[in-house]
Every structure is written in structure tokens, then in C-alpha cells.
Amino acid sequence: RVLSIQSHVSYGHVGNSAAVFPLQRLGHEVMPIYTVVFSNHTGYGAWGGQLISGEVVRSIVQGIDAGGLTDVDLVLSGYQGGDDIGDAILDAVALVKERNPQAIYACDPVLGSAQSGCFVAPEVQSLIRDRVVPQADLITPNQFELGFVTGTDPHTLEETLAS
């Protein structure tokens, strides 16, 4: 079972809108929790919707836990629109690992891209770099995000591996 705490967009395929169906097709039971509910990826320009608070995320995790988080093997996280989401995600990871010490936390540190730079708020940038990424068992950054979280500027394969 996978607990996937990521964004939801109505148009486009990012976050849970991109992850849930392929994971289900591979035979995994996925429990999506949304960090935002947006019309589209914010990189497309105009968008509408809202951030989901850390309190709401915690409430959903508590509800799932009432049914049992003991069989969750993987927690995925992605876009964190607000600075209180990171704490809620880390709380969920701690609870899952308490229930199943073998569970893995995989973090996509969604921060931006080489073309756009950072597209999350400064407080979210530091939250992801300083508190969320260090708790992850696995991270899946793009080249820009890898440089940001490691304080490097990787361009070649060797620089990327060093980062």
C-alpha cells in the first residue's frame, strides 16, 4: 500500500494526478491525500484552486490510521504549497514508520526547474531543503532541485553524481 501525499490538478498530469493511476495499474493500492487542489500546474500561468492545510492533511491521515496504517509500505510526497504541509507530511511519515518500521519515504522535492527557477514560496524552499529531504529515504529531484537541496550547480554527469 502506498500513501501518496501530493498535489491534485484538474488539467495536466502532476502529483497525484500523475502517480495514482500508474501505481494502481502496477497493482498497488494507493491512498491519495492532496496538498493542493488546483485547476492546473502553476507553471502553466493562470490557475485557480486552493492550498490544503497541514491540519486537514493530519486529519485525513488520522482517519486512515483508524482503519490501519500497518500495511503501508511507501509514503510518497510531492508539491507542498504551504509551509505547514511539510510538518504534516513528516508527521505522517513518522506514524507510518511507527506502524511499519520497514516503510520507505520517497520525496519528490518539488521546487522548480532550470527554466523557471523556484516556483514555491521561500519558506517552502527552506522547509523542503532543511527538514523534509533529510528525513527521506529516497529523493527524486530534477537537476535544478538537486542543485538547490545540495547547494551545488550540477551540469555534467560527474557533477550530478557528486551532488
Side-chain angles (χ1 to χ4, degrees):
R1 290 179 80 179
V2 178
L3 183 64
S4 184
I5 309 173
Q6 302 189 65
S7 63
H8 171 77
V9 296
S10 296
Y11 171 72
H13 301 286
V14 297
N16 275 329
S17 303
V20 173
F21 180 67
L23 287 168
Q24 289 172 330
R25 291 285 294 155
L26 290 169
H28 302 287
E29 183 175 343
V30 183
M31 299 172 287
I33 298 176
Y34 304 133
T35 58
V36 300
V37 180
F38 287 163
S39 57
N40 51 270
H41 184 294
T42 57
Y44 292 164
W47 54 274
Q50 67 180 13
L51 302 174
I52 305 301
S53 73
E55 180 180 324
V56 169
V57 170
R58 281 186 184 88
S59 175
I60 294 169
V61 171
Q62 289 169 356
I64 293 170
D65 187 40
L69 283 174
T70 57
D71 58 351
V72 172
D73 299 305
L74 174 65
V75 178
L76 295 176
S77 72
Y79 183 77
Q80 301 176 34
D83 61 352
D84 65 338
I85 292 294
D87 289 323
I89 290 170
L90 292 176
D91 290 348
V93 169
L95 182 60
V96 166
K97 287 189 174 230
E98 179 181 313
R99 305 285 190 259
N100 176 8
Q102 302 304 312
I104 294 171
Y105 172 37
C107 172
D108 182 0
V110 179
L111 294 162
S113 69
Q115 295 78 25
S116 67
C118 274
F119 52 65
V120 297
E123 61 271 13
V124 174
Q125 295 169 30
S126 59
L127 169 78
I128 291 173
R129 181 190 60 229
D130 301 337
R131 297 189 45 233
V132 175
V133 166
Q135 295 298 316
D137 298 303
L138 171 72
I139 62 171
T140 59
N142 63 31
Q143 182 180 11
F144 171 81
E145 294 159 346
L146 177 63
F148 185 88
V149 300
T150 60
T152 62
D153 188 24
H155 291 282
T156 66
L157 178 59
E158 292 77 22
E159 292 169 341
T160 300
L161 292 172
S163 294

